[in-house]
Amino acid sequence: MDKLGDIDLFVRVIKSQGLAAAGREVGLSPARMTARINGLEERYGVRLLNRTTRQISLTDEGREFYVACERILAEVEQAETSLQIGQTSFSGALRITAPSDLGQQHIAPVLSTFVDKHPSIKPYLYLSDSVTDLIGDGFDLGIRFGTLEDSTLIARKLTSNRRVLCASPNYLKRKGIPVTPEELVHHDCLSMVRMTEPLTTWYFQQKNEKKSIVIKASRASNDGALIRRWAVEGAGIALKSYWDIADDIKAKRLVTIMDNYQHDFNRTGTCHGADLHAIYPNRQFIPQRTIAFINALTTHFTSMASNTL
């Protein structure tokens, strides 16, 4: 039952002053048009049109229905236009989720510049080091490190990245510089907590050799930005994304250690890296504002990559 289609036909009949003329507009025969209008009247149990062989006219009920139908069709057209504008221009809501530390240092500044250029966009940036359900929580875009496990989502690589062990020069001067994973058990380590689970098993790979070490966390937090802050303050050794600490390394607030190893929080990550990706639910209907922001992020990281990685 195509109610909206029947309403559109009814309005066309009135504006065209005849069934045949309205039928020509939509490619329907006079007989088929008559059947559709009869069906509309039968559905509501009321006569809408007075019809003769030469002309049609509205009944009182038909005139009231016609006014309501015009309003309905106008509202539908307006809604469709709004959707199309949201798909093809930089306006509307833009909901993004990103890791805390990366989000504060990189995503938020790029987003501010982007919104300054496109003030009709209404941004929402949710920072969390937990894995967010993009579809379930209604996000347009997620920024994530590492490989994509959910095959229903689309991933676009923004930049290369790796995990590194880092500490402040002051801490290393005080505690010494570890050169093997086993030496970490004698150091103060700063542990991330993900979904209430402390990430105290750190994985290492050197060529084809893999090993894991269970660290003794001197401090722990679910916020990556706080882990970085503690490392800068000299509280211990942290396992961080390179993009999170790139500015600290440049400013010599942090230095990396054990660079002859690959590091990660899970065994798979040591092999497949921790590259930075933009994640979104559907390639076919992604709004242009989302694509434009992904492009802005790509430009940002590309411009910085030559001086960092």
Side-chain angles (χ1 to χ4, degrees):
M1 182 184 298
D2 184 8
K3 288 186 177 181
L4 190 60
D6 287 342
I7 287 173
D8 180 67
L9 283 180
F10 175 69
V11 171
R12 286 177 183 272
V13 167
I14 304 306
K15 290 184 174 181
S16 301
Q17 288 295 302
L19 293 172
R24 285 193 292 271
E25 291 181 6
V26 295
L28 293 178
S29 67
R32 182 58 183 157
M33 287 293 298
T34 299
R36 292 283 292 272
I37 296 300
N38 287 342
L40 191 63
E41 291 177 329
E42 291 172 5
R43 181 186 304 156
Y44 298 114
V46 63
R47 177 172 292 278
L48 300 172
L49 296 175
N50 294 314
R51 283 168 277 181
T52 68
T53 56
R54 292 189 176 184
Q55 64 180 10
I56 61 169
S57 62
L58 287 165
T59 65
D60 290 341
E61 292 84 357
R63 186 172 292 103
E64 184 177 343
F65 186 63
Y66 175 75
V67 172
C69 288
E70 277 206 308
R71 184 177 65 250
I72 291 170
L73 292 175
E75 290 175 354
V76 170
E77 183 178 359
Q78 182 179 2
E80 289 175 339
T81 300
S82 297
L83 283 175
Q84 291 167 356
I85 290 175
Q87 292 293 321
T88 59
S89 68
F90 304 157
S91 64
L94 181 59
R95 292 171 53 85
I96 307 162
T97 177
S100 173
D101 207 358
L102 184 89
Q104 294 180 46
Q105 294 191 70
H106 296 282
I107 309 304
V110 175
L111 183 59
S112 293
T113 301
F114 186 73
V115 173
D116 286 343
K117 292 181 179 178
H118 309 290
S120 294
I121 289 177
K122 307 301 179 186
Y124 171 61
L125 178 59
Y126 176 75
L127 301 181
S128 174
D129 288 309
S130 297
V131 178
T132 306
D133 180 1
L134 259 65
I135 297 176
D137 293 333
F139 285 100
D140 300 297
L141 183 66
I143 310 301
R144 292 183 185 173
F145 292 112
T147 55
L148 180 62
E149 296 180 0
D150 187 346
S151 60
T152 65
L153 299 174
I154 308 300
R156 173 174 161 182
K157 182 178 174 181
L158 296 175
T159 186
S160 298
N161 180 63
R162 66 182 187 273
R163 302 281 187 184
V164 294
L165 285 179
C166 61
S168 71
N170 180 55
Y171 172 85
L172 296 174
K173 182 178 180 180
R174 190 173 72 252
K175 293 283 191 173
I177 302 175
V179 295
T180 66
E182 290 78 10
E183 293 180 39
L184 290 175
V185 298
H186 304 298
H187 280 265
D188 299 327
C189 294
L190 309 174
S191 171
M192 276 293 298
V193 177
R194 184 176 297 160
M195 301 294 290
T196 72
E197 177 189 1
L199 303 180
T200 53
T201 301
W202 291 357
Y203 294 89
F204 299 82
Q205 181 173 333
Q206 189 178 50
K207 296 183 179 179
N208 294 325
E209 181 184 359
K210 299 179 183 180
K211 61 178 65 177
S212 62
I213 297 296
V214 178
I215 62 164
K216 297 178 182 178
S218 60
R219 300 188 188 186
S221 176
N222 67 331
D223 189 325
L226 181 56
I227 295 291
R228 180 174 60 86
R229 175 180 172 180
W230 283 340
V232 170
E233 291 174 349
I237 297 173
L239 178 54
K240 291 288 294 179
S241 158
Y242 191 89
W243 277 108
D244 287 344
I245 64 167
D247 288 342
D248 295 310
I249 291 176
K250 187 180 301 184
K252 299 183 179 180
R253 293 185 293 265
L254 293 174
V255 296
T256 61
I257 59 175
M258 296 171 57
D259 291 331
N260 54 327
Y261 288 89
Q262 292 177 282
H263 323 279
D264 215 316
F265 293 118
N266 61 76
R267 189 179 301 276
T268 301
T270 56
C271 300
H272 297 280
D275 291 343
L276 187 62
H277 292 86
I279 310 297
Y280 46 94
N282 192 302
R283 188 189 303 276
Q284 184 177 3
F285 298 115
I286 180 171
Q288 289 298 313
R289 60 183 177 273
T290 304
I291 295 175
F293 183 66
I294 294 174
N295 291 339
L297 289 175
T298 302
T299 300
H300 167 77
F301 286 111
T302 299
S303 67
M304 296 187 64
S306 59
N307 298 319
T308 54
L309 292 173

